[in-house]
Amino acid sequence: MFKKILIANRGEIALRIMATCREMGIDTVAVYSEADSTAAHVLYADEAVCIGKPEPGDSYLNMDAIIDAAKGANAEAVHPGYGFLAENGEFADRCQEADLVFIGPPGTVIRNLGDKITARRIMERAGVPVMPGTTWTVRTGDNMDEVAAAADAIGYPVLVKASAGGGGKGIRIVHEPAALVDACMAASREAQTAFGDGAVYLEKFFETARHVEVQVLADTHGNVVHVLERECSIQRRHQKIIEESPSPAVTSELRDRMGEAAVAAARASGYVNAGTVEFLLAPDQSFYFLEVNTRLQVEHPVTEMITGLDLVRCQLDIAAGAQLPLTQKDIAGRGHAIECRIYAEDPENGFFPSPGRIEVLHEPSGPGIRNDCGVYAGAMVPVDYDPIISKLVVHAETRELAIRRMAKALREYVILGVKTPIPFLVDVMESPAFGAGDLSTGFIDTHFQDWRPSTGHRDIALIAWVMDAMLQKPAGRQAETESRMPTPWETLGRWQL
Amino acid sequence: MFKKILIANRGEIALRIMATCREMGIDTVAVYSEADSTAAHVLYADEAVCIGKPEPGDSYLNMDAIIDAAKGANAEAVHPGYGFLAENGEFADRCQEADLVFIGPPGTVIRNLGDKITARRIMERAGVPVMPGTTWTVRTGDNMDEVAAAADAIGYPVLVKASAGGGGKGIRIVHEPAALVDACMAASREAQTAFGDGAVYLEKFFETARHVEVQVLADTHGNVVHVLERECSIQRRHQKIIEESPSPAVTSELRDRMGEAAVAAARASGYVNAGTVEFLLAPDQSFYFLEVNTRLQVEHPVTEMITGLDLVRCQLDIAAGAQLPLTQKDIAGRGHAIECRIYAEDPENGFFPSPGRIEVLHEPSGPGIRNDCGVYAGAMVPVDYDPIISKLVVHAETRELAIRRMAKALREYVILGVKTPIPFLVDVMESPAFGAGDLSTGFIDTHFQDWRPSTGHRDIALIAWVMDAMLQKPAGRQAETESRMPTPWETLGRWQL
Amino acid sequence: MEYNLTANGEPFTVTVSPTEGDAASNTAEAEMTIAGNRYAVAATRVEGNHLHLKVNGRGMNVYVGEGEAGRTVMVNGLMIQVADAEDAARSPQGKRRAKRGPQEVTSPTPAVVTSVLVAAGDRVAEGQGVVVVTAMKMETTLTAPYGGVVTAMNTEAGANVNPGDILVEIERDADGNEGDADDDGQ
Amino acid sequence: MEYNLTANGEPFTVTVSPTEGDAASNTAEAEMTIAGNRYAVAATRVEGNHLHLKVNGRGMNVYVGEGEAGRTVMVNGLMIQVADAEDAARSPQGKRRAKRGPQEVTSPTPAVVTSVLVAAGDRVAEGQGVVVVTAMKMETTLTAPYGGVVTAMNTEAGANVNPGDILVEIERDADGNEGDADDDGQ
């Protein structure tokens, strides 16, 4: 096993990876931008290297700086987390060239699967069902008549998607021919900004489909297993916000079929390490390959909760050359797990990011509750990156009990200083629609289009304001217990000797 | 299901019970002594009633006050937690007389099993193996020749135990005849103080035996299942400090035999609700009935972690008259769980209690980590009660991985203001003896008799002292962000209008 | 005494009769009336921003932090903005909230302008996109809050903008109804 | 400059050469020497009692709280008492620690005396029980720290006693070796 690895990421996922490393006796090297010098992942790591200015291109996307940091710290491997360079084939190649193990699939596999068109061809050859759509891409300036004809052939509504996409960026739904050109242009522009590649393509769009994905693990010895499914239908801005496992729509028989398709997809693409095969599940139980996420998913904890596996440990073992310690029959789910993503965002305002300083933080805890958190009280959620605060995950005996556990955990989660979707998520958990498991990617638009926070507890909030004014502000325990004289250092401003 | 219950306890177990109640939509009523008016369980409850002075006899053992509080609040049931009135048959009867459901077995069952001699006879009749020992009790002033003869017949070493005992109180090990009389007197005196009953009896003592117990669940419809075993061999002051499940000594075949014996014990005693049958497991794999704990155990979370069950929910369902939702074949363990009890105590000084105010509290978290905590930063650990702070529990794929996870969690657990056994527990987790699973009730005496904290990190501590002096103490975020004028209320001392 | 407060923009009068308090133990008791509802309140400051309230016998934990033009109170998973009514009236944010939905073209967070979609003199319909901004890699189109004529475009592509900056000024159509029938309390 | 400190009772001299500091960001850097080991240190106060240290390039989190006659430092699961050497020498607790094991008969926590087992004039052996106390329902026997003759019994059954109260005075036997060869640093 590795003695030291570098984690080329930040926030909760960097901490999540370091937690398992620490258990395994692997030293961790954090990298950070100038905006993150006191970020939680920097404070937790065994070593930390500043790799550049806040702008991601100068830091977390800066391959030279990251590889230099890894070599300088004598790290043996690099874990990319999710986002940033996690699905960048060139980065995987460059790690290998620098004699660093990239904890993920080989660069060629990332490139093949990262290009939606190539991926689609691989899946078609492997007999994995794919979505009706174009097998060619569109860029600004292309002939739009051809695009319009293709959209007509697929049938509206159609989805415009960035070929190099992910994370909900560079995506547009088009309901009628008149909106097609504008949508292609906007998606292309967004893709160009986000991924440096403006190519987009068209796909059939199902109004009420579910997003169901299958976790796979593949070792370097040719063993591939699937680790059950996750339902991630509930999305805002085309980005998942609530995930669960098992999916309320997936029967045991369907689970086997989707699992086999996912394993076939992994085998056909020469996959190694942990990956996720995303499917669209139509109301008639037919399913279609969407894409392979060639990395650890944000939502991997729901799989960990129901299977009892540590997927980061699996990743490290695979990267170190170990055989998978389990076969398909060893893998079974128990109970039900749900994850809510807690972002610094404003649910009353289109979930727009709400960066800032975390003023108060009280994490929920208790039986069956896990919170993978990337901040601390006093920490900044900088404007420069994806504003995820934590992933709140619960596990209970049944879906109904897991929903109640999540609602309770959300109600006990206190974050002040930034806005969060907690009040929205509570309402989703307590809604009959969510309770019925009747999910689709249009869930929020269908059931929570005009969501406003409940007016409950308004009187309590007014009472709290009055009592807060009435009760003395304590100087703090710190000050109370502080009786010694200040040292000379404490009276200095900035100094240098 | 109940709409409202009273929890006749304090600290972490009161919070643990309330957590499940809140998920189930059951309102909770806390009771508290004058020493606990801002204790964590009081702050968390939906309602709270002061039941008397700090002295337990005036408050948490005050049946009149507790039953009055329950009736006054319109609670339908009472959960006794562990300790205090949890194994008091009279209290169970009095709840019933007051039309309150006692969440535990009937009073007669508690009395029968609480009297060690009666319990022993029940077990003998049911074919459950029992320890060689006396079937009569000794009190101060009894004829000691007869006692000495009995001890000779059993064979030294013998154990002197309080008939009404529990929690390690009223227990003495006697290695030679000369020490027998003093030991009986000391145990009797301690038993008189602790339980109001000075009766003690003798039992065979195994120098290297293990303490292995089996969780049972019995409903009011005659269904009884066992929920696997817990190994609780590691004790100091005859009180458990580390528990785990499964036991490294228990084979699948032995698990079945011990489980059957536990179910037989429950059936023979007319048991209802959750209970624990404690066995002594000898090196030759023979096992002997010790006692039945007629309540939820401190260490119940390790069972919850490996089975995915919520035992408090099971208790509430059973008390409300529900059938057990599972049969023996539905119950299986997965992975390995370990619990460490974190008390305010001094591991360098015989684990003597170290009450006081919690100055700093940072709870460990992460995948597979659960901390059932009964305090908050600023809270008091009062001198009046058992000084438990929390129970740190981990779950991982294997025992080896669970040990590493626990060691990491302990190292990340920060408690300042009181002493804790954290440094000791880290050393136990990282010791070859614990790693080998070679446990016995003499584990600490054998391997950690003269334990002193490691001198590692001494230089770091000195560096920390210097840098702490060098860095300015912040006035606190509170003060920083506080710019408004003080309200008139804040300038007042004590006032009344 | 009376406090004139707003909760999420809606005005309330809170009548308070303090009954007891103790600075040393950081506890206070009071009786209050809000919109005809009477409350017996006992409060303890547990630490910093954390207050424990007992309201008509029921315990609850509330957290009071800095908010927009006042305080943010978090209770039972809800986040409620509470402010002194006069402060709230002075704050554009408070005014905006009181009217449900933006009445000005401004970015909700620091952002960079990607493109401007209209120019001074253009007629715009309510909901029409006028400026595209990007923040945290997310592109968002700011729309006209009402129909009218653009009188000034105060930004350009590439500009850094902040919340409160009025990016586009629009003269409302004569039939625009500023004080529409929205229930402000939602 | 030099600090004379004790860590768990053992004395150390820490030579410190501060190099840089910034009160605003609460960071400081210094070079230190302890018992011949050289350390390059960078520190940040994260909040209250929590400092992040970078020591010879390795990051770690330390928590510094009030301790017996000084401070308690918690680092990586260890709790270490650190004090200014002069303060430590003044404290009976510090003295006790420096000698490994109690040298006086005193209760480690507030407690009630259950019984006294010896009387003035009695000869006691090292380790012999002299007073039984009970606290938090737990009975503990306090033992003689060395052999000798009891010169005074300062308590009685039922008495409330506190840490530091000398319950029994014992005149040490002539062959008693106060400064024995213990390595104090354990």
Side-chain angles (χ1 to χ4, degrees), chain A residues 68-110:
Chain A
D68 284 353
K71 298 307 289 182
N74 290 315
E76 294 155 84
V78 174
H79 196 306
Y82 56 71
F84 293 125
L85 297 170
E87 297 184 271
N88 186 311
E90 185 191 345
F91 183 61
D93 288 345
R94 291 200 48 193
C95 284
Q96 196 180 7
E97 286 158 18
D99 243 344
L100 294 163
V101 176
F102 178 81
I103 300 169
T108 47
V109 174
I110 296 176

Short mmCIF file of all heavy atoms in Angstrom, two decimals, chain A residues 68-110:
data_model
loop_
_atom_site.label_atom_id
_atom_site.label_comp_id
_atom_site.label_asym_id
_atom_site.label_seq_id
_atom_site.Cartn_x
_atom_site.Cartn_y
_atom_site.Cartn_z
N ASP A 68 4.08 18.80 -9.55
CA ASP A 68 5.28 19.26 -8.82
C ASP A 68 5.10 19.06 -7.31
O ASP A 68 6.03 18.62 -6.62
CB ASP A 68 5.55 20.74 -9.09
CG ASP A 68 6.17 20.96 -10.47
OD1 ASP A 68 6.50 19.95 -11.15
OD2 ASP A 68 6.31 22.13 -10.87
N ALA A 69 3.91 19.39 -6.81
CA ALA A 69 3.65 19.25 -5.37
C ALA A 69 3.77 17.78 -4.95
O ALA A 69 4.36 17.46 -3.92
CB ALA A 69 2.26 19.79 -5.02
N ALA A 70 3.22 16.90 -5.78
CA ALA A 70 3.26 15.47 -5.45
C ALA A 70 4.70 14.96 -5.45
O ALA A 70 5.12 14.24 -4.54
CB ALA A 70 2.41 14.68 -6.45
N LYS A 71 5.45 15.33 -6.45
CA LYS A 71 6.84 14.87 -6.53
C LYS A 71 7.67 15.48 -5.40
O LYS A 71 8.47 14.80 -4.77
CB LYS A 71 7.46 15.22 -7.89
CG LYS A 71 6.78 14.57 -9.10
CD LYS A 71 6.64 13.07 -8.99
CE LYS A 71 7.96 12.32 -9.12
NZ LYS A 71 7.77 10.84 -9.07
N GLY A 72 7.43 16.76 -5.15
CA GLY A 72 8.19 17.44 -4.09
C GLY A 72 7.95 16.84 -2.72
O GLY A 72 8.83 16.83 -1.86
N ALA A 73 6.73 16.32 -2.50
CA ALA A 73 6.39 15.74 -1.20
C ALA A 73 6.66 14.25 -1.16
O ALA A 73 6.37 13.59 -0.16
CB ALA A 73 4.91 16.01 -0.89
N ASN A 74 7.18 13.69 -2.25
CA ASN A 74 7.43 12.25 -2.35
C ASN A 74 6.15 11.42 -2.21
O ASN A 74 6.17 10.32 -1.65
CB ASN A 74 8.44 11.78 -1.29
CG ASN A 74 9.83 12.29 -1.59
OD1 ASN A 74 10.26 12.22 -2.75
ND2 ASN A 74 10.50 12.82 -0.59
N ALA A 75 5.04 11.96 -2.71
CA ALA A 75 3.81 11.17 -2.74
C ALA A 75 3.95 10.10 -3.82
O ALA A 75 4.66 10.28 -4.81
CB ALA A 75 2.62 12.08 -3.03
N GLU A 76 3.26 8.97 -3.60
CA GLU A 76 3.34 7.88 -4.57
C GLU A 76 2.14 7.85 -5.50
O GLU A 76 2.17 7.20 -6.54
CB GLU A 76 3.42 6.54 -3.84
CG GLU A 76 4.68 6.35 -3.04
CD GLU A 76 4.45 5.36 -1.91
OE1 GLU A 76 4.55 4.15 -2.16
OE2 GLU A 76 4.14 5.80 -0.78
N ALA A 77 1.06 8.48 -5.07
CA ALA A 77 -0.18 8.41 -5.86
C ALA A 77 -0.95 9.71 -5.70
O ALA A 77 -0.70 10.50 -4.79
CB ALA A 77 -1.03 7.22 -5.39
N VAL A 78 -1.90 9.90 -6.62
CA VAL A 78 -2.74 11.11 -6.62
C VAL A 78 -4.20 10.68 -6.67
O VAL A 78 -4.60 9.92 -7.55
CB VAL A 78 -2.42 12.01 -7.83
CG1 VAL A 78 -3.39 13.18 -7.90
CG2 VAL A 78 -0.98 12.50 -7.76
N HIS A 79 -4.99 11.15 -5.70
CA HIS A 79 -6.44 10.92 -5.74
C HIS A 79 -7.08 12.21 -6.23
O HIS A 79 -6.92 13.25 -5.58
CB HIS A 79 -6.98 10.53 -4.37
CG HIS A 79 -8.35 9.93 -4.44
ND1 HIS A 79 -9.41 10.55 -5.06
CD2 HIS A 79 -8.84 8.74 -3.99
CE1 HIS A 79 -10.49 9.78 -4.99
NE2 HIS A 79 -10.17 8.67 -4.35
N PRO A 80 -7.83 12.16 -7.32
CA PRO A 80 -8.37 13.41 -7.86
C PRO A 80 -9.71 13.84 -7.27
O PRO A 80 -10.18 14.94 -7.59
CB PRO A 80 -8.54 13.08 -9.35
CG PRO A 80 -8.89 11.62 -9.34
CD PRO A 80 -8.13 11.01 -8.19
N GLY A 81 -10.35 13.00 -6.41
CA GLY A 81 -11.67 13.37 -5.90
C GLY A 81 -12.71 13.38 -7.01
O GLY A 81 -12.68 12.53 -7.91
N TYR A 82 -13.64 14.35 -6.97
CA TYR A 82 -14.58 14.54 -8.09
C TYR A 82 -14.45 15.99 -8.54
O TYR A 82 -14.01 16.86 -7.79
CB TYR A 82 -16.01 14.19 -7.70
CG TYR A 82 -16.57 14.93 -6.50
CD1 TYR A 82 -16.88 16.29 -6.58
CD2 TYR A 82 -16.79 14.28 -5.30
CE1 TYR A 82 -17.38 16.98 -5.49
CE2 TYR A 82 -17.29 14.97 -4.19
CZ TYR A 82 -17.59 16.31 -4.30
OH TYR A 82 -18.09 17.00 -3.23
N GLY A 83 -14.87 16.26 -9.77
CA GLY A 83 -14.72 17.62 -10.31
C GLY A 83 -13.26 17.91 -10.61
O GLY A 83 -12.42 17.00 -10.66
N PHE A 84 -12.94 19.18 -10.84
CA PHE A 84 -11.56 19.59 -11.18
C PHE A 84 -10.95 18.62 -12.19
O PHE A 84 -11.50 18.45 -13.27
CB PHE A 84 -10.72 19.74 -9.90
CG PHE A 84 -11.19 20.88 -9.02
CD1 PHE A 84 -11.52 20.65 -7.68
CD2 PHE A 84 -11.32 22.17 -9.52
CE1 PHE A 84 -11.96 21.70 -6.87
CE2 PHE A 84 -11.75 23.23 -8.70
CZ PHE A 84 -12.07 22.97 -7.39
N LEU A 85 -9.85 17.94 -11.83
CA LEU A 85 -9.13 17.12 -12.81
C LEU A 85 -9.54 15.65 -12.76
O LEU A 85 -8.88 14.80 -13.37
CB LEU A 85 -7.62 17.25 -12.56
CG LEU A 85 -7.05 18.66 -12.77
CD1 LEU A 85 -5.61 18.75 -12.27
CD2 LEU A 85 -7.10 19.04 -14.25
N ALA A 86 -10.64 15.36 -12.05
CA ALA A 86 -10.99 13.95 -11.83
C ALA A 86 -11.29 13.22 -13.12
O ALA A 86 -11.06 12.02 -13.22
CB ALA A 86 -12.19 13.85 -10.88
N GLU A 87 -11.82 13.90 -14.13
CA GLU A 87 -12.17 13.20 -15.36
C GLU A 87 -11.37 13.77 -16.52
O GLU A 87 -11.89 13.91 -17.63
CB GLU A 87 -13.69 13.27 -15.58
CG GLU A 87 -14.41 12.55 -14.46
CD GLU A 87 -15.92 12.49 -14.65
OE1 GLU A 87 -16.61 13.41 -14.20
OE2 GLU A 87 -16.39 11.51 -15.25
N ASN A 88 -10.13 14.08 -16.24
CA ASN A 88 -9.25 14.64 -17.25
C ASN A 88 -8.19 13.60 -17.61
O ASN A 88 -7.30 13.29 -16.82
CB ASN A 88 -8.61 15.92 -16.67
CG ASN A 88 -7.78 16.66 -17.70
OD1 ASN A 88 -6.95 16.07 -18.38
ND2 ASN A 88 -8.01 17.95 -17.81
N GLY A 89 -8.34 13.03 -18.80
CA GLY A 89 -7.44 11.95 -19.22
C GLY A 89 -6.00 12.40 -19.28
O GLY A 89 -5.08 11.62 -18.97
N GLU A 90 -5.79 13.63 -19.69
CA GLU A 90 -4.43 14.13 -19.80
C GLU A 90 -3.76 14.14 -18.43
O GLU A 90 -2.58 13.79 -18.29
CB GLU A 90 -4.43 15.56 -20.37
CG GLU A 90 -3.03 16.09 -20.63
CD GLU A 90 -3.02 17.59 -20.94
OE1 GLU A 90 -4.10 18.14 -21.25
OE2 GLU A 90 -1.93 18.19 -20.86
N PHE A 91 -4.53 14.51 -17.41
CA PHE A 91 -3.96 14.55 -16.06
C PHE A 91 -3.57 13.13 -15.61
O PHE A 91 -2.49 12.92 -15.05
CB PHE A 91 -4.95 15.17 -15.09
CG PHE A 91 -4.41 15.30 -13.69
CD1 PHE A 91 -3.28 16.07 -13.44
CD2 PHE A 91 -5.00 14.63 -12.63
CE1 PHE A 91 -2.76 16.19 -12.14
CE2 PHE A 91 -4.50 14.75 -11.34
CZ PHE A 91 -3.39 15.52 -11.10
N ALA A 92 -4.45 12.17 -15.90
CA ALA A 92 -4.13 10.78 -15.55
C ALA A 92 -2.83 10.36 -16.24
O ALA A 92 -1.96 9.74 -15.62
CB ALA A 92 -5.28 9.87 -15.94
N ASP A 93 -2.72 10.69 -17.52
CA ASP A 93 -1.50 10.34 -18.27
C ASP A 93 -0.28 11.02 -17.66
O ASP A 93 0.78 10.40 -17.51
CB ASP A 93 -1.62 10.79 -19.72
CG ASP A 93 -2.60 9.93 -20.50
OD1 ASP A 93 -2.96 8.84 -20.02
OD2 ASP A 93 -3.02 10.36 -21.60
N ARG A 94 -0.42 12.28 -17.35
CA ARG A 94 0.73 13.02 -16.83
C ARG A 94 1.16 12.51 -15.47
O ARG A 94 2.36 12.51 -15.15
CB ARG A 94 0.42 14.52 -16.79
CG ARG A 94 0.31 15.07 -18.23
CD ARG A 94 0.48 16.55 -18.28
NE ARG A 94 1.64 17.00 -17.53
CZ ARG A 94 1.86 18.28 -17.22
NH1 ARG A 94 0.99 19.20 -17.61
NH2 ARG A 94 2.93 18.62 -16.54
N CYS A 95 0.22 12.08 -14.66
CA CYS A 95 0.59 11.46 -13.39
C CYS A 95 1.44 10.22 -13.67
O CYS A 95 2.51 10.03 -13.08
CB CYS A 95 -0.66 11.05 -12.60
SG CYS A 95 -1.49 12.45 -11.83
N GLN A 96 0.95 9.38 -14.58
CA GLN A 96 1.66 8.15 -14.89
C GLN A 96 3.07 8.45 -15.40
O GLN A 96 4.04 7.81 -14.99
CB GLN A 96 0.87 7.37 -15.93
CG GLN A 96 1.31 5.93 -16.05
CD GLN A 96 0.51 5.17 -17.10
OE1 GLN A 96 -0.30 5.74 -17.83
NE2 GLN A 96 0.73 3.86 -17.16
N GLU A 97 3.18 9.44 -16.29
CA GLU A 97 4.49 9.81 -16.83
C GLU A 97 5.43 10.26 -15.70
O GLU A 97 6.64 10.06 -15.78
CB GLU A 97 4.35 10.94 -17.85
CG GLU A 97 3.77 10.46 -19.18
CD GLU A 97 3.13 11.60 -19.98
OE1 GLU A 97 3.43 12.78 -19.68
OE2 GLU A 97 2.30 11.31 -20.87
N ALA A 98 4.84 10.88 -14.66
CA ALA A 98 5.65 11.37 -13.55
C ALA A 98 5.85 10.30 -12.48
O ALA A 98 6.29 10.59 -11.38
CB ALA A 98 5.01 12.61 -12.94
N ASP A 99 5.47 9.05 -12.82
CA ASP A 99 5.64 7.93 -11.89
C ASP A 99 4.75 8.05 -10.66
O ASP A 99 5.11 7.62 -9.56
CB ASP A 99 7.10 7.84 -11.42
CG ASP A 99 7.73 6.54 -11.87
OD1 ASP A 99 6.96 5.63 -12.26
OD2 ASP A 99 8.96 6.45 -11.86
N LEU A 100 3.60 8.66 -10.86
CA LEU A 100 2.60 8.76 -9.79
C LEU A 100 1.42 7.89 -10.18
O LEU A 100 0.96 7.94 -11.32
CB LEU A 100 2.12 10.20 -9.66
CG LEU A 100 3.15 11.24 -9.19
CD1 LEU A 100 2.66 12.64 -9.51
CD2 LEU A 100 3.41 11.07 -7.69
N VAL A 101 0.93 7.07 -9.25
CA VAL A 101 -0.26 6.28 -9.55
C VAL A 101 -1.47 7.22 -9.53
O VAL A 101 -1.69 7.92 -8.54
CB VAL A 101 -0.44 5.15 -8.53
CG1 VAL A 101 -1.74 4.39 -8.79
CG2 VAL A 101 0.76 4.20 -8.56
N PHE A 102 -2.22 7.23 -10.62
CA PHE A 102 -3.46 8.01 -10.65
C PHE A 102 -4.57 7.11 -10.12
O PHE A 102 -4.80 6.02 -10.66
CB PHE A 102 -3.75 8.44 -12.09
CG PHE A 102 -5.04 9.19 -12.25
CD1 PHE A 102 -5.11 10.55 -11.93
CD2 PHE A 102 -6.19 8.55 -12.71
CE1 PHE A 102 -6.30 11.25 -12.07
CE2 PHE A 102 -7.38 9.25 -12.85
CZ PHE A 102 -7.44 10.60 -12.53
N ILE A 103 -5.25 7.53 -9.05
CA ILE A 103 -6.26 6.68 -8.42
C ILE A 103 -7.57 6.87 -9.17
O ILE A 103 -8.42 7.69 -8.82
CB ILE A 103 -6.36 6.97 -6.91
CG1 ILE A 103 -4.99 6.69 -6.27
CG2 ILE A 103 -7.45 6.11 -6.26
CD1 ILE A 103 -4.86 7.17 -4.84
N GLY A 104 -7.69 6.09 -10.25
CA GLY A 104 -8.81 6.18 -11.17
C GLY A 104 -8.46 5.38 -12.38
O GLY A 104 -7.41 4.71 -12.41
N PRO A 105 -9.29 5.41 -13.40
CA PRO A 105 -9.01 4.62 -14.60
C PRO A 105 -7.88 5.24 -15.43
O PRO A 105 -7.51 6.39 -15.22
CB PRO A 105 -10.34 4.65 -15.36
CG PRO A 105 -11.09 5.81 -14.82
CD PRO A 105 -10.58 6.10 -13.46
N PRO A 106 -7.34 4.46 -16.39
CA PRO A 106 -6.29 5.00 -17.26
C PRO A 106 -6.80 6.19 -18.09
O PRO A 106 -8.00 6.32 -18.35
CB PRO A 106 -5.97 3.82 -18.19
CG PRO A 106 -6.51 2.61 -17.53
CD PRO A 106 -7.67 3.06 -16.71
N GLY A 107 -5.87 7.04 -18.50
CA GLY A 107 -6.21 8.23 -19.28
C GLY A 107 -7.03 7.93 -20.52
O GLY A 107 -7.99 8.65 -20.83
N THR A 108 -6.70 6.87 -21.23
CA THR A 108 -7.44 6.57 -22.46
C THR A 108 -8.89 6.25 -22.16
O THR A 108 -9.80 6.64 -22.89
CB THR A 108 -6.82 5.36 -23.20
OG1 THR A 108 -6.60 4.32 -22.25
CG2 THR A 108 -5.50 5.73 -23.85
N VAL A 109 -9.12 5.52 -21.06
CA VAL A 109 -10.49 5.15 -20.69
C VAL A 109 -11.28 6.41 -20.33
O VAL A 109 -12.44 6.58 -20.72
CB VAL A 109 -10.48 4.15 -19.51
CG1 VAL A 109 -11.90 3.87 -19.03
CG2 VAL A 109 -9.78 2.86 -19.92
N ILE A 110 -10.63 7.31 -19.58
CA ILE A 110 -11.29 8.57 -19.22
C ILE A 110 -11.66 9.34 -20.48
O ILE A 110 -12.78 9.85 -20.62
CB ILE A 110 -10.37 9.43 -18.32
CG1 ILE A 110 -10.10 8.73 -16.99
CG2 ILE A 110 -10.98 10.82 -18.10
CD1 ILE A 110 -9.12 9.45 -16.09
#
